[in-house]
């Protein structure tokens, strides 16, 4: 047996080697490797508005805490003297083998934390092979982001607009851009009550941030032009703040035509108003799901499912996957933590469709606990956003490599060599 082939090399060992070898020359990782330090560094770096939007949750943020507390209630019971020298962290999802049970979840308005926004995340995702889920509220049109990824896997997240035509247009654009699944987020039929943003009077979308999927869409543009054509002339308005003016210039640049003409035209402001009027449809019910199902052949994944009855009903309705999620605690205060909801959802759907989990995932050990409880994969949210804010693309890449590396080592150190060996028997209630 070749000694180096049996030394446990894998993503975890490689990541450690890289860090410790660089340390000999005085180099440290670009961003902290543990989430609490990462979040603290981001708190120092980000603007108040960016931090409020990213870190904030609904109401008193009890759900943000519940998402973490749910992980703290589980402990892993390691096993010894098993050959763990070679490990396989990969999982299969919708016909694709992924390097680890991990995806980058959809996060909107990334331009608040870094000017390269979705593009930096896309490059980091492509470099690591971890799929990126494009947000419906992205800062960069999905075609541009997809073009930065080569053949690397990407999914599209959709909010259910009041315009069926817009929903169809976004679906078709996602298909053409090579997205391999559509994630429909159901927990945001209205924006949650978010005191940090309310106290700053700050909604990125009202400033034209995070609406690039819309302003790049032909159906949306037509809706804006119709709104302008039928709108009554506006009376005198108070002057917008300098930040709002800067945002308006950004939007005017995104619109076809010259910047000067666009700034004079009512289009950018009307785009924001049109977005606010149509972005979500609180009236959707189970009956609408069939319509969506019939509009795309891509796997359909419902995000934001927490009740086992909803999970069962979703699978009966023909969806292909679920994401158990509290939206990072941003929608309902005092909700059940996502990981607390996971076992019942998994029991309800059995192995009929894959169940994914996000909200509160901070480390490779967290991913191991969630997969042991039946999640096929986890989605990262704030962790990679902080990496982006601190160091752009390399920051995101490091966060992903750290989580995957720790997952690989924890898998081996608990006596396992493959993800499908992880079952609830690996865990104990704390
Ligand atoms: C700043 C921010 C923006 C988000 N934007 C979206 C979005 O556009 N669409 C969506 O489905 N989820 C969105 N989410 C929710 C994430 O996809 C994910 O559910 C959540 O971040 C997971 O929790 P975590 O941040 O605690 O890991 C957003 C989350 C954050 C923090």
């Amino acid at each position: 047996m070749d000694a180096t082939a049996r030394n446990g090399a894998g993503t975890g060992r490689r990541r450690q080697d890289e860090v410790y070898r660089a340390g000999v020359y005085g180099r440290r990782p670009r961003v902290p490797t543990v989430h609490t330090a990462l979040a603290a560094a981001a708190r120092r770096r980000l603007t108040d508005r960016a931090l409020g939007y990213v870190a904030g949750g609904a109401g008193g943020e009890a759900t943000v805490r519940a998402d973490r507390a749910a992980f703290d209630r589980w402990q892993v019971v390691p096993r010894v003297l098993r050959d763990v020298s070679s490990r396989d962290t990969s999982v299969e999802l919708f016909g694709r083998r992924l390097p680890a049970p991990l995806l980058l979840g959809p996060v909107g308005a990334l331009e608040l934390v870094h000017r390269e926004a979705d593009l930096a995340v896309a490059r980091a995702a492509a470099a690591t092979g971890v799929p990126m889920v494009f947000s419906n509220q992205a800062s960069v049109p999905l075609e541009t982001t997809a073009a930065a990824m080569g053949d690397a896997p990407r999914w599209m997240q959709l909010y259910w607009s009041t315009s069926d035509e817009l929903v169809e247009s976004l679906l078709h654009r996602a298909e053409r851009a090579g997205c391999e699944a559509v994630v429909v987020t159901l927990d945001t039929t209205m924006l949650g009550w978010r005191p940090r943003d309310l106290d700053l009077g700050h909604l990125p979308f009202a400033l034209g941030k995070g609406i690039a999927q819309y302003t790049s869409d032909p159906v949306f543009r037509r809706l804006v032009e119709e709104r302008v054509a039928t709108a009554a002339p506006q009376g005198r308005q108070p002057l917008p703040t300098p930040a709002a003016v800067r945002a308006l210039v950004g939007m005017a640049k995104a619109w076809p035509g010259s910047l000067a003409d666009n700034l004079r035209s009512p289009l950018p402001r009307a785009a924001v108003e049109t977005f606010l009027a149509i972005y979500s449809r609180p009236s959707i019910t189970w009956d609408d799901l069939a319509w969506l199902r019939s509009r795309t052949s891509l796997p359909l994944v419902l995000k934001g499912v927490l009740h086992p009855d909803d999970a069962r009903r979703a699978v009966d309705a023909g969806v292909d996957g679920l994401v158990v999620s509290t939206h990072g605690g941003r929608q309902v205060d005092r909700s059940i933590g996502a990981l607390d909801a996971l076992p019942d959802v998994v029991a309800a759907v059995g192995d009929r469709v894959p169940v994914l989990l996000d909200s509160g995932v901070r480390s490779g050990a967290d991913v191991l606990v969630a997969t042991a409880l039946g999640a096929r994969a986890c989605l990262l949210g704030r962790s990679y956003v902080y990496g982006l804010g601190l160091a752009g693309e390399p920051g995101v890449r490091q966060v992903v490599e750290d989580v995957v590396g720790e997952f690989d080592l924890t898998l081996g150190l608990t006596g396992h060599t493959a993800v499908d060996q992880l079952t609830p028997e690996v865990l104990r209630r704390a």
Side-chain angles (χ1 to χ4, degrees):
M1 174 69 51
D2 170 6
T4 50
R6 303 280 306 196
N7 72 356
T11 43
R13 288 289 302 268
R14 271 200 301 280
R15 178 80 197 115
Q16 281 174 322
D17 283 354
E18 224 172 69
V19 172
Y20 293 137
R21 282 176 205 283
V24 173
Y25 302 97
R27 289 195 295 273
R28 298 272 179 84
R30 270 171 201 272
V31 301
T33 52
V34 66
H35 182 88
T36 43
L38 188 66
R43 273 198 295 279
R44 291 192 294 274
R45 175 73 65 86
L46 300 182
T47 63
D48 286 352
R49 285 176 159 197
L51 187 68
Y53 183 66
V54 176
E61 302 187 347
T63 307
V64 177
R65 293 189 293 277
D67 281 333
R68 282 306 303 152
F71 278 96
D72 291 339
R73 278 191 283 277
W74 290 103
Q75 295 175 329
V76 191
V77 188
R79 302 299 303 271
V80 296
L81 290 178
R82 297 168 166 195
D83 179 357
V84 292
S85 55
S86 125
R87 300 169 303 282
D88 180 4
T89 58
S90 72
V91 291
E92 205 204 283
L93 207 45
F94 305 132
R96 230 316 164 177
R97 201 137 268 279
L98 309 180
L102 195 71
L103 297 90
L104 299 184
V107 170
L110 286 172
E111 69 207 274
L112 287 175
V113 301
H114 195 276
R115 67 192 155 72
E116 288 173 17
D118 307 81
L119 288 177
V121 177
R123 291 188 200 110
T128 55
V130 164
M132 172 177 178
V133 185
F134 298 163
S135 166
N136 200 145
Q137 301 310 132
S139 299
V140 178
L142 62 100
E143 292 80 1
T144 314
T145 312
M149 297 188 77
D151 291 335
R154 58 257 189 181
W155 296 8
M156 173 71 190
Q157 175 259 323
L158 192 76
Y159 283 128
W160 206 315
S161 157
T162 51
S163 163
D164 283 346
E165 240 191 309
L166 178 62
V167 171
E168 283 201 83
S169 177
L170 286 166
L171 284 174
H172 291 145
R173 288 173 60 196
E175 285 169 1
R176 281 197 300 272
C179 294
E180 296 176 8
V182 175
V183 177
V184 187
T185 301
L186 297 178
D187 54 24
T188 313
T189 50
M190 294 170 284
L191 205 63
W193 183 254
R194 300 183 187 164
R196 295 205 212 192
D197 294 336
L198 291 165
D199 287 346
L200 292 169
H202 176 236
L203 179 68
F205 319 119
L207 294 169
K209 296 181 180 182
I211 62 171
Q213 310 296 26
Y214 299 80
T215 50
S216 57
D217 191 278
V219 171
F220 182 79
R221 282 169 188 242
R222 204 200 63 227
L223 295 175
V224 175
E225 280 151 15
E226 283 168 11
R227 171 177 278 259
V228 170
T230 57
Q234 297 232 314
R236 273 180 78 84
Q237 298 278 330
L239 285 175
T241 63
V245 171
R246 278 196 300 277
L248 213 61
V249 171
M251 286 203 52
K253 277 185 189 157
W255 215 261
S258 87
L259 177 61
D261 283 350
N262 285 343
L263 273 175
R264 273 193 297 274
S265 98
L267 282 173
R269 196 63 230 162
V272 169
E273 295 302 333
T274 308
F275 162 76
L276 293 172
I278 68 163
Y279 86 96
S280 81
R281 190 192 304 196
S283 64
I284 47 166
T285 69
W286 292 103
D287 297 336
D288 297 299
L289 216 50
W291 178 86
L292 195 65
R293 177 70 289 176
S294 70
R295 291 305 189 275
T296 180
S297 53
L298 289 176
L300 206 55
V301 179
L302 301 189
K303 176 169 181 275
V305 174
L306 291 164
H307 197 292
D309 291 349
D310 285 347
R312 227 173 269 117
R313 190 151 183 191
V315 178
D316 291 344
V319 307
D320 304 285
L322 301 174
V323 183
V324 173
S325 167
T326 67
H327 209 108
R330 299 160 69 76
Q331 284 300 100
V332 175
D333 195 17
R334 302 211 174 283
S335 149
I336 182 173
L339 192 78
D340 282 333
L342 179 68
D344 287 348
V345 169
V346 168
V349 305
D351 51 13
R352 290 198 286 168
V353 303
V355 176
L356 283 68
L357 174 120
D358 74 22
S359 303
V361 178
R362 301 288 177 255
S363 70
D366 290 348
V367 175
L368 184 127
V369 167
T371 44
L373 288 173
R376 179 74 64 87
C378 294
L379 290 81
L380 285 183
R382 292 182 183 90
S383 313
Y384 83 80
V385 180
Y386 293 146
L388 174 69
L390 292 171
E393 177 198 337
V396 179
R397 209 173 54 228
Q398 191 199 305
V399 169
V400 173
E401 285 169 353
D402 289 348
V403 171
V404 175
E406 190 194 335
F407 176 75
D408 170 48
L409 286 172
T410 312
L411 186 74
L413 289 170
T414 55
H416 306 99
T417 53
V419 181
D420 61 10
Q421 294 165 5
L422 299 171
T423 65
E425 277 78 71
V426 171
L427 305 178
R428 201 191 69 164
R429 273 273 179 196

